[in-house]
Structure formats: structure tokens, C-alpha cells
Amino acid sequence: MAALAQEPRQGPQQPPPAQPTRPQPAPSPPQPGQPQAAQPQAAQPQSQSVQIPELPADSVLVPNRANYEMKLAVARPNSGIVEVNGNMVLETVDSCDAWEIRQRIKLTFLRSDGEEFETDSSFTSYETKDGLQLRFSVRNVQNDEVEEELRGHAELDSLGGKGRASFTLPEARSFELPVGTLFPTTHLALVLKHARDGDKSVSYKVFDGARLDGAFQVNAVIGRPSRSRPGTPSVRGDIGLLRNQPAWGVRFAFFANGDQGAQPEYELALDLLGNGIARSMLLDYGDFAVDAHLVQIQNLPRPKC
């Protein structure tokens, strides 16, 4: 889905955007009803391109604005975090020849020493529907102080081919993207295709612009959706978007590209519908994990193209 948040100066490190995309010694154990994370696959011989399945001519994604309530799910020993509360707004906008993703996450952390701090993270991307071009912008703020700003663009020679990413903030830099790299919205659409086809696991390289060190190897395990737990907030708004949709539990494991270590850097679990809407998420920040539950959904109009 998008990129999450920058490391708070006074708290544990946080992962990239929640559009399915930092080193942690021990990712959180899977929650009940969620599939186990995939482990890295053996390196494949280099080639000029990687075969990518053909996407449907008409995208299954639906334009929408989703609001999530976020709360602490688990804090591991010595994390220093005793409470997390906040919200996330995630917009998927159809711009005729591209998908625009807008994500904002605001969290309040309470530490075990009684100190409180706030983070405010914004991520936007503009990705052409052919999957070949991406513009991105990231802004991370803590206690009203800007901690990080990233901005740039990327392009691929072909779907499945190599590419290049260029940043203008925080400084001008460019680097090659490896063969087979995908951008995040194309990746999400492909995962949905694999889920519909009955595949249980898939692995792709994904670049979203949320960090300066290139693409992730993203392994996904696809299973049954998790059951709603008691106390889960009800959803308001255009709830027809949530009806008559297939659903899967998808757990993403993010590995630094080329890193074949046993543990992923970051994990993200989604209760994912066939139209791309996530009814819930588990965001694993390493030392702690945060639940995000959908509380309001709004249909956004498709443009006349």
C-alpha cells in the first residue's frame, strides 16, 4: 500500500508507508488468523527483465478515502512504549492515466518514563497506470519539528525491466533500480491478482520512494482473512464498498534488496478486500506493533477521462 513513518528521535524505529511498503532484531509474531510471513527466496540469475503477470485492462482498485483508528497492539519488553494512539487517512485517487495515493498518519506515543511525543507523517505518490513512472513525496514531523523530507521520481524501462530513481530532497541523488522492480500501486494490484488466482505466496522487488536506499524485496503470504475481534469499531460511510468483495489475509515481509537474512526488516499484515481496501492492518514497528482499524470509508468519484 504507501510508506509509514520516520524513526522518532525519542522512540523506537518505525517502518516505511502502509501502501504495500528499518532494521529490527525481532519482528512481531503473527496475530491469530494471520498467515506466517514469507522468508526470502534464493537469488536468481541476473537478466534484462523479469516476467510480470499481465494485469486486467480495467483496474480492480476503487477510488476511496479510508480513515483508520490506530492503537497499540503489543509492546515488547524494554521497548519503552506503553501506549500509542492516533489515526491514519489513506486516499486512493483515480487521475485517469495514474493513481494518486495520499497517506497521513498522526500518532501520540507515551513512554514508560511518562514522556509523551507526537509524530505526523505524510506520504503522496503519483504512479502511472502502466506502472512505469512514479513521483513521490515524504514528510515526517515529530513534536512539530520536521525530521525528514524526501521528494523525487522514478521510472522503469519496462514492466519487469530495470529503472532509475532520482531524489531532489534531501539532496540530489540518483541510483539504478534492479531488474524486476515494481512501484507500490502496481504491486498491490498484482498481489490482488495472485490472490484471485489462488496463489499462496509471491515475491517482488518494490520501490516507493519512502527511503533513500532503494527497493525492498517484498514477500507476501496470502491466506484467509482474520476474524473481527470483540470491540472492533463499526465502519461509517459508504459501507457498500465493503460488501460482496472477496477478502484475504495478506502478510508482507520487507527485506533490504539483496539481504537474504532470516528476519525481515519490517512486516505489515492486511485484511485486504478485492477492491484494494484494507479493513484492518497490523503495523509491526519491531519493538512494538500498532493495530489500524477502518472506521470510516468514502467513495471518491472516477474522473471523466
Side-chain angles (χ1 to χ4, degrees):
M1 306 187 58
L4 267 188
Q6 170 67 7
E7 175 184 1
R9 286 183 293 108
Q10 305 173 53
Q13 197 169 35
Q14 302 183 26
Q19 173 84 10
T21 196
R22 324 244 173 172
Q24 298 296 341
S28 66
Q31 302 298 300
Q34 293 174 338
Q36 294 284 342
Q39 292 303 310
Q41 299 181 349
Q44 299 297 320
Q46 290 296 317
S47 63
Q48 295 301 310
S49 66
V50 172
Q51 187 67 36
I52 302 296
E54 184 176 353
L55 289 172
D58 297 325
S59 174
V60 297
L61 302 182
V62 61
N64 72 93
R65 178 182 294 112
N67 289 265
Y68 297 84
E69 181 182 275
M70 305 182 73
K71 291 186 176 182
L72 182 68
V74 60
R76 297 175 179 84
N78 303 317
S79 68
I81 297 296
V82 297
E83 188 175 348
V84 182
N85 288 287
N87 62 80
M88 170 172 60
V89 178
L90 180 58
E91 294 185 4
T92 301
V93 180
D94 189 342
S95 300
C96 289
D97 62 345
W99 288 103
E100 186 173 357
I101 305 299
R102 305 168 187 164
Q103 177 180 286
R104 187 172 185 182
I105 299 176
K106 299 180 73 174
L107 295 174
T108 299
F109 294 80
L110 178 63
R111 293 173 54 91
S112 55
D113 59 8
E115 186 174 358
E116 191 174 87
F117 64 98
E118 297 180 348
T119 62
D120 185 347
S121 301
S122 300
F123 171 84
T124 61
S125 66
Y126 185 90
E127 180 181 335
T128 55
K129 290 182 178 179
D130 61 9
L132 300 183
Q133 297 185 56
L134 175 72
R135 298 200 307 266
F136 53 86
S137 176
V138 179
R139 191 171 191 264
N140 293 310
V141 176
Q142 182 172 313
N143 290 340
D144 298 322
E145 180 180 338
V146 177
E147 292 290 300
E148 181 183 52
E149 284 192 272
L150 306 175
R151 190 175 303 158
H153 66 275
E155 58 185 19
L156 303 175
D157 293 343
S158 62
L159 203 59
K162 62 184 179 64
R164 187 170 185 82
S166 298
F167 286 79
T168 56
L169 283 177
E171 61 186 13
R173 69 164 68 180
S174 297
F175 52 82
E176 298 295 324
L177 295 174
V179 167
T181 297
L182 299 175
F183 297 143
T185 306
T186 300
H187 177 242
L188 176 61
L190 277 173
V191 168
L192 288 171
K193 173 179 171 55
H194 284 290
R196 289 178 182 273
D197 290 345
D199 296 330
K200 301 303 182 184
S201 64
V202 293
S203 183
Y204 290 107
K205 297 181 179 69
V206 181
F207 175 81
D208 58 20
R211 50 190 279 170
L212 291 167
D213 53 354
F216 276 108
Q217 184 74 35
V218 182
N219 296 349
V221 172
I222 304 167
R224 295 180 179 180
S226 58
R227 295 179 179 178
S228 295
R229 286 175 287 180
T232 300
S234 59
V235 183
R236 307 183 304 273
D238 298 322
I239 58 175
L241 293 174
L242 311 180
R243 294 174 178 156
N244 302 317
Q245 288 288 327
W248 301 274
V250 183
R251 192 171 185 95
F252 297 93
F254 295 73
F255 299 85
N257 190 39
D259 182 3
Q260 297 302 311
Q263 299 290 356
E265 292 192 3
Y266 165 57
E267 292 185 73
L268 170 66
L270 303 179
D271 183 3
L272 186 62
L273 299 181
N275 56 11
I277 296 174
R279 292 183 296 197
S280 66
M281 307 181 191
L282 178 70
L283 313 173
D284 191 337
Y285 289 55
D287 288 337
F288 62 97
V290 175
D291 275 325
H293 289 285
L294 183 66
V295 294
Q296 186 167 13
I297 188 73
Q298 178 183 348
N299 183 49
L300 296 180
R302 292 187 184 270
K304 296 180 180 179
C305 303

